[in-house]
Amino acid sequence: MSESKNVVSLKRVHFDSIWLVPLVALIVAGWMLYQNWSSQGPIITLVAANAEGLEAGQTKLKARNVDVGKVIDIRLSSDYDKAIIKVRMNQDTQKMLKQDAKFWVVKPRIGKEGVSGLSTLMSGAYIDMSPGDEGEESDEFVLLSQPPLSTKAEGIHLHLRSGDASKLDIGTLVHFRGYEVGYVEEVDFDTVTGAINYRIVVKPPYDALVNDAVQFWITPGLSFKSSVQGFEVKLDSLETFLSGGISFGLGKDRAAGNNVKDLTTFRLFPSKEEADNNLYNQTIEYLFLFDSNVSGLAVGADVEFRGVRIGTVIEMPFTEISMDVIASLDRPVIPVLARIEPQRLHDWTVEGEASVQKWKELFDVRIDQGLRATLVIGNYLNAARVISLDFMDNPPPPRMRELAGYDVFPTGPDSLAGISNKVSTLLDKVADVPLAQTFEQLGRTMEEANETLRQLQSLSQSVERLLEKSETQQIPADISEVMTQLNLTLETYQANGQIGRPLRENMVSLGRSLNELQPLLRQLKERPNTLIFDSKPRLEIQPKAAK
């Protein structure tokens, strides 16, 4: 019993293998959680105006059509003004999230640039991004409402300012001599000045064409212009047909200037013509006082000297002069402000000869010699007028040389006004013609003509009734039978007919007989007594002498 007490009872520990299954599952789950956590990238925030087409857990984020993330949450901002979109990025995407990265929604779009995003009709909208290259890493970005025109900084950026032209849209093309060299990337309206500001991009290598001497103007897709040169219809490229475009370049014989810095401001002109006119910076302004009809004269019309353009009409009518000054003149006139542009006649590099002072002195001398301004029709199709400068014989003396601080260019009598007076005189003479008697006689003549027409109508009806009679309709058949008999008769008189053949033989015999009688007839003509006497002369018989 004592030995049995000393024996220590040991309990055997038994491990059940069923517990291996949950243990392995726990290890696998932990590994999967670790893998998922280690493969996830950062969470970024996109701020958008709305979340149209986006769904949490469904919408993907792509870069160059490769999945780099997924939308995990969409909610409103605290002020309920924006949509806050949370995106879980993939692993190793931190380097893409620089400050200049751009994000936008890809969905079906139809615009002037064409149709895009059709692939999302089946798969749904997604967020596309352009990886950033510069700046610090960031986790908050703005979701653009439109795809960016360019995903990287390139070329040169310029500001254009337009005060009197219609608005152009973002994406409008910029051309240089018809080549596409850039586009409009931003449009802004200045409510204070009423001007439209554009920011454009000129892509390399065309950015080297931009210098401080170039001019920018709007090129409409389709334009119609009526001027002194006639009617002009211009159709630009199909790309600018609907929305227009912007072009730039140097003026005629204009030298290139210096390079410009980024974001330099230029003026945007409504047309190329206005851009070219702006190049003439040495001008002489004159006030023209016309006392005749000025219809057909418009702003931008030519000022010519013997057919050569030397200036431009600036304002018609000119309204900067008070009504009291105009009323103080001896007769009513229409003031027109125009400028003389001497640079149209000289090279751009010439400064001395094209100086304003020298040209003013030259014009003063020529005015004293009889140079006057008149209105003439430059194009008879549209009655467009120009101001023509030329010398006159016995010109009227200048009434004034200055009015309200403006130099006055003396005008001469309008040739068209003289023609108008002659036409008025002719019309007065026509008015003195006894038109009443003439129209009365014309009325009687018309009545007689009507009576003649009625008689002709009656005669036509009589002829028609005659033709409808059966006897008249039988006439063509009788005439046909007579013609047949006449043809048979004529056939008998032909060369092989019953009468023609004997007649031809007799004529041949008669001809032969006449040929045989020719010698006799010739002899009778020479010696008419041949029929009485012998044709051969007889020798006289002489008696023989006696032996």
Side-chain angles (χ1 to χ4, degrees):
M1 293 295 292
S2 60
E3 293 179 357
S4 62
K5 292 180 180 180
N6 293 330
V7 175
V8 178
S9 60
L10 298 175
K11 293 183 178 179
R12 182 179 295 178
V13 178
H14 180 72
F15 180 79
D16 195 349
S17 61
I18 193 64
W19 292 102
L20 291 175
V21 175
L23 181 60
V24 172
L26 182 61
I27 294 173
V28 171
W31 175 255
M32 292 179 63
L33 290 174
Y34 173 77
Q35 285 291 100
N36 182 57
W37 175 80
S38 62
S39 64
Q40 288 181 352
I43 296 178
I44 63 173
T45 302
L46 302 180
V47 181
N50 58 73
E52 180 184 0
L54 305 180
E55 295 183 11
Q58 297 293 331
T59 303
K60 298 180 180 180
L61 188 147
K62 298 183 179 183
R64 295 179 174 87
N65 210 28
V66 177
D67 293 346
V68 294
K70 181 182 289 187
V71 176
I72 60 175
D73 183 40
I74 300 176
R75 56 185 175 83
L76 288 175
S77 61
S78 58
D79 58 356
Y80 309 108
D81 189 45
K82 302 289 183 181
I84 306 300
I85 304 169
K86 297 290 184 177
V87 179
R88 168 71 74 176
M89 302 295 296
N90 292 347
Q91 187 181 13
D92 299 330
T93 57
Q94 291 86 348
K95 296 181 179 180
M96 303 170 57
L97 303 175
K98 299 295 181 66
Q99 292 180 348
D100 60 341
K102 297 179 180 179
F103 297 82
W104 65 94
V105 177
V106 177
K107 56 185 177 181
R109 300 178 189 272
I110 301 177
K112 66 178 185 300
E113 297 86 2
V115 180
S116 62
L118 293 180
S119 61
T120 61
L121 290 175
M122 300 299 295
S123 62
Y126 64 90
I127 300 176
D128 202 354
M129 71 168 294
S130 172
D133 296 328
E134 299 179 356
E136 300 292 335
E137 293 184 4
S138 177
D139 60 355
E140 185 172 344
F141 302 90
V142 175
L143 187 63
L144 303 177
S145 59
Q146 296 286 338
L149 298 174
S150 176
T151 57
K152 62 179 180 178
E154 56 181 1
I156 185 173
H157 298 255
L158 303 172
H159 285 298
L160 302 182
R161 189 174 182 84
S162 173
D164 51 0
S166 57
K167 172 183 172 293
L168 300 175
D169 295 329
I170 295 176
T172 300
L173 300 179
V174 178
H175 295 89
F176 180 83
R177 297 182 181 177
Y179 289 93
E180 179 185 343
V181 298
Y183 53 86
V184 176
E185 65 175 357
E186 186 177 318
V187 181
D188 180 36
F189 182 75
D190 191 341
T191 58
V192 177
T193 61
I196 302 176
N197 299 318
Y198 301 93
R199 191 176 72 185
I200 68 171
V201 176
V202 180
K203 299 179 292 187
Y206 307 108
D207 53 350
L209 300 172
V210 180
N211 54 75
D212 58 2
V214 298
Q215 303 280 342
F216 289 84
W217 63 88
I218 295 177
T219 52
L222 177 64
S223 62
F224 178 82
K225 179 182 178 182
S226 175
S227 62
V228 177
Q229 286 74 27
F231 297 99
E232 178 183 358
V233 179
K234 184 177 181 181
L235 176 63
D236 210 78
S237 63
L238 294 178
E239 296 174 337
T240 60
F241 178 73
L242 296 178
S243 59
I246 296 176
S247 297
F248 71 93
L250 296 170
K252 183 180 179 181
D253 302 328
R254 180 87 167 179
N258 300 321
N259 294 332
V260 297
K261 297 180 179 180
D262 207 42
L263 300 179
T264 301
T265 301
F266 289 86
R267 179 182 174 186
L268 181 62
F269 293 93
S271 64
K272 187 178 186 304
E273 183 180 3
E274 292 195 26
D276 291 338
N277 291 337
N278 187 68
L279 296 175
Y280 304 111
N281 53 11
Q282 298 180 9
T283 61
I284 308 172
E285 292 188 355
Y286 281 105
L287 186 64
F288 297 82
L289 303 176
F290 293 105
D291 57 358
S292 58
N293 188 2
V294 296
S295 61
L297 183 67
V299 174
D302 298 352
V303 178
E304 299 180 350
F305 175 72
R306 295 181 176 177
V308 178
R309 183 176 181 178
I310 62 172
T312 306
V313 175
I314 301 176
E315 187 173 348
M316 201 295 297
F318 185 54
T319 58
E320 296 296 329
I321 301 178
S322 65
M323 183 60 65
D324 296 336
V325 175
I326 298 297
S328 64
L329 301 177
D330 54 353
R331 54 181 175 176
V333 294
I334 304 297
V336 176
L337 184 66
R339 69 181 188 183
I340 306 298
E341 300 158 346
Q343 289 169 317
R344 291 183 180 272
L345 304 176
H346 291 274
D347 187 76
W348 288 96
T349 59
V350 178
E351 296 181 358
E353 294 182 355
S355 64
V356 174
Q357 186 60 34
K358 287 187 177 181
W359 276 95
K360 290 187 67 173
E361 295 174 357
L362 179 61
F363 272 106
D364 291 339
V365 174
R366 294 295 183 257
I367 289 173
D368 294 337
Q369 294 176 352
L371 184 65
R372 297 292 184 271
T374 58
L375 289 176
V376 298
I377 294 180
N379 191 314
Y380 285 92
L381 293 177
N382 53 14
R385 297 197 186 192
V386 300
I387 298 178
S388 176
L389 307 183
D390 207 342
F391 292 92
M392 290 184 175
D393 296 331
N394 301 321
R399 296 195 300 269
M400 63 185 69
R401 300 299 293 269
E402 184 178 349
L403 180 65
Y406 293 92
D407 293 332
V408 177
F409 201 103
T411 59
D414 191 355
S415 58
L416 293 177
I419 297 176
S420 177
N421 294 332
K422 293 180 181 179
V423 172
S424 299
T425 303
L426 178 61
L427 292 177
D428 292 339
K429 293 182 179 179
V430 171
D432 296 336
V433 175
L435 296 179
Q437 299 178 1
T438 303
F439 283 112
E440 184 179 355
Q441 182 66 29
L442 180 61
R444 289 195 295 269
T445 303
M446 293 299 295
E447 292 178 357
E448 295 176 358
N450 291 333
E451 181 63 27
T452 303
L453 290 175
R454 284 193 294 270
Q455 294 178 0
L456 289 175
Q457 186 177 5
S458 177
L459 178 61
S460 175
Q461 294 175 355
S462 300
V463 172
E464 184 177 359
R465 288 193 297 269
L466 178 62
L467 293 176
E468 291 177 353
K469 293 182 178 180
S470 58
E471 295 84 355
T472 306
Q473 296 177 358
Q474 186 63 29
I475 291 177
D478 296 340
I479 293 176
S480 177
E481 184 178 357
V482 171
M483 293 300 296
T484 302
Q485 294 295 330
L486 180 60
N487 288 333
L488 294 176
T489 304
L490 291 176
E491 288 180 357
T492 60
Y493 284 93
Q494 291 180 356
N496 296 325
Q498 297 177 358
I499 299 176
R501 182 181 297 175
L503 181 61
R504 182 171 61 82
E505 294 176 353
N506 293 334
M507 293 299 294
V508 173
S509 299
L510 179 61
R512 189 181 300 112
S513 299
L514 290 175
N515 290 333
E516 294 175 354
L517 289 176
Q518 287 296 329
L520 177 62
L521 294 175
R522 189 179 301 108
Q523 185 177 2
L524 289 175
K525 183 178 180 180
E526 294 176 355
R527 298 182 63 185
N529 57 355
T530 301
L531 297 176
I532 302 175
F533 300 99
D534 191 3
S535 59
K536 297 182 179 180
R538 295 182 179 180
L539 299 177
E540 294 182 1
I541 303 175
Q542 297 181 359
K544 298 182 179 179
K547 297 181 178 180

